[in-house]
Amino acid sequence: MKLSIAIADSDALPSAFVVFRGFETSMKAASDLGYNGIELALKNPSEIDPAKLDRLLADYKLEVSAISTGQVYAELGLSFTDPPSAQKETLIGMFHDFIDLAARYGKKVNIGRVRGSKGTSQPDEAIARFVDTARGLSEYAKKKDVTLLVEPVNRYEIDFINTVEEGARIIEKIGMDNIKLMPDVFHMNIEDPAIGGELEKWINKIGYIHLADSNRYAPGQGHTDFDDIFRHIKKARYDGWLSVEILPKPEPYQAARQAITFLRKYF
Ligand code: LER
Ligand code: MN
């Protein structure tokens, strides 16, 4: 298991859900604190200058754990559940570029809120469009040895794929071995019947885990039972990334330090 932290560049949208902003200062801080990797929250693949990123990764001895795409939805307002259109093609083209970038950095691209919503008019059609879009992108990603990660998100943010079990059923429907789940224990605390137990149960479908406490502060600051979570995932021999995705409170460096100070004992 390896520990990562979510970061974005300094001009990230205010809604970008990251601990640190500014690639260089974030990577220095992550490295100083002892994180193994960074999760890059991007709004556009062109934000990355590979020569510069290679230098920073080498200097700070970090890996890219995954590329996350929440800002794409926030910025473009486009999603996988949209019907075919020229803009939908733009979204798919952008995901091809994210997948190409992930082939070099981290081999994983997440699908969070960009999956869209099912709405009320024709919910089955919206879900079918999600499945088709995700399958097409998985086929593209497969050729590049990249895995897509579907994140179950709580009902107050999104109206389908709220639980890990719902995520598992939908990726079964997509039917590709390079599409996996990215459970986030903050969302699981709201939606799932258990956290550790569900992670163990669905471990074969899990490719990545987001960590935050029940109040979305650093692990250790709320009431989530991390002993139970780590007992279950170790029993299931989980050997992937866990990434800290928390509110940057009381301020980013302190939050990131609280998280790793608390989590170190499990690694
Ligand atoms: C993204 O990883 C996430 O967990 C969402 O809740 C952000 O809104
Ligand atoms: Mn998350």
Side-chain angles (χ1 to χ4, degrees):
M1 298 190 303
K2 287 187 280 193
L3 190 62
S4 174
I5 187 159
I7 70 165
D9 210 354
S10 41
D11 63 350
L13 301 177
S15 60
F17 200 65
V18 293
V19 186
F20 289 131
R21 284 157 190 267
F23 288 141
E24 178 138 21
T25 45
S26 304
M27 287 170 72
K28 182 177 186 321
S31 176
D32 288 348
L33 286 166
Y35 286 90
N36 309 112
I38 44 158
E39 178 181 321
L40 289 172
L42 301 181
K43 55 174 179 280
N44 196 304
S46 64
E47 278 180 272
I48 295 298
D49 169 352
K52 188 170 174 206
L53 184 59
D54 285 341
R55 178 179 59 76
L56 292 175
L57 291 169
D59 285 355
Y60 294 120
K61 298 189 174 50
L62 291 166
E63 292 174 60
V64 175
S65 58
I67 291 173
S68 59
T69 58
Q71 292 187 79
V72 176
Y73 176 64
E75 177 132 301
L76 299 181
L78 294 170
S79 64
F80 285 27
T81 54
D82 292 345
S85 69
Q87 289 124 305
K88 179 92 182 265
E89 289 309 309
T90 305
L91 177 69
I92 291 169
M94 198 181 244
F95 265 78
H96 287 169
D97 293 344
F98 278 125
I99 291 164
D100 293 347
L101 193 64
R104 183 161 169 181
Y105 299 109
K107 306 249 179 230
K108 291 181 171 63
V109 176
N110 102 311
I111 304 170
R113 286 171 299 170
V114 76
R115 69 168 155 283
S117 56
K118 65 178 164 52
T120 48
S121 53
Q122 300 292 345
D124 292 349
E125 279 178 29
I127 293 175
R129 287 196 293 267
F130 167 78
V131 168
D132 283 351
T133 306
R135 186 182 294 126
L137 289 173
S138 303
E139 283 164 359
Y140 181 86
K142 178 115 180 144
K143 290 183 241 148
K144 314 257 168 170
D145 191 27
V146 168
T147 297
L148 301 182
L149 301 165
V150 177
E151 181 174 12
V153 168
N154 78 73
R155 69 189 74 176
Y156 305 108
E157 294 184 47
I158 214 121
D159 70 355
F160 77 121
I161 323 180
N162 306 120
T163 68
V164 171
E165 175 160 4
E166 285 161 3
R169 299 297 174 221
I170 210 143
I171 64 170
E172 276 165 5
K173 207 180 257 180
I174 294 165
M176 297 285 297
D177 60 8
N178 65 323
I179 186 153
K180 298 230 164 197
L181 297 177
M182 178 195 250
D184 179 326
V185 301
F186 169 78
H187 300 301
M188 290 185 77
N189 178 58
I190 297 170
E191 296 290 348
D192 287 76
I195 305 182
E198 289 294 290
L199 291 172
E200 184 179 343
K201 181 171 172 187
W202 300 106
I203 203 77
N204 292 335
K205 292 190 160 38
I206 293 174
Y208 198 92
I209 298 173
H210 270 163
L211 296 179
D213 215 319
S214 51
N215 46 13
R216 230 166 185 182
Y217 295 151
Q221 306 300 311
H223 58 72
T224 293
D225 186 349
F226 286 93
D227 283 353
D228 184 69
I229 290 173
F230 279 91
R231 191 167 52 75
H232 280 284
I233 64 174
K234 284 182 181 178
K235 189 165 156 232
R237 300 184 187 284
Y238 179 70
D239 195 28
W241 283 98
L242 296 120
S243 184
V244 170
E245 189 197 48
I246 54 175
L247 295 169
K249 301 274 175 67
E251 59 79 38
Y253 195 85
Q254 202 180 328
R257 188 174 48 211
Q258 284 173 339
I260 197 164
T261 303
F262 178 83
L263 293 168
R264 201 172 271 128
K265 60 181 174 286
Y266 301 118
F267 286 79

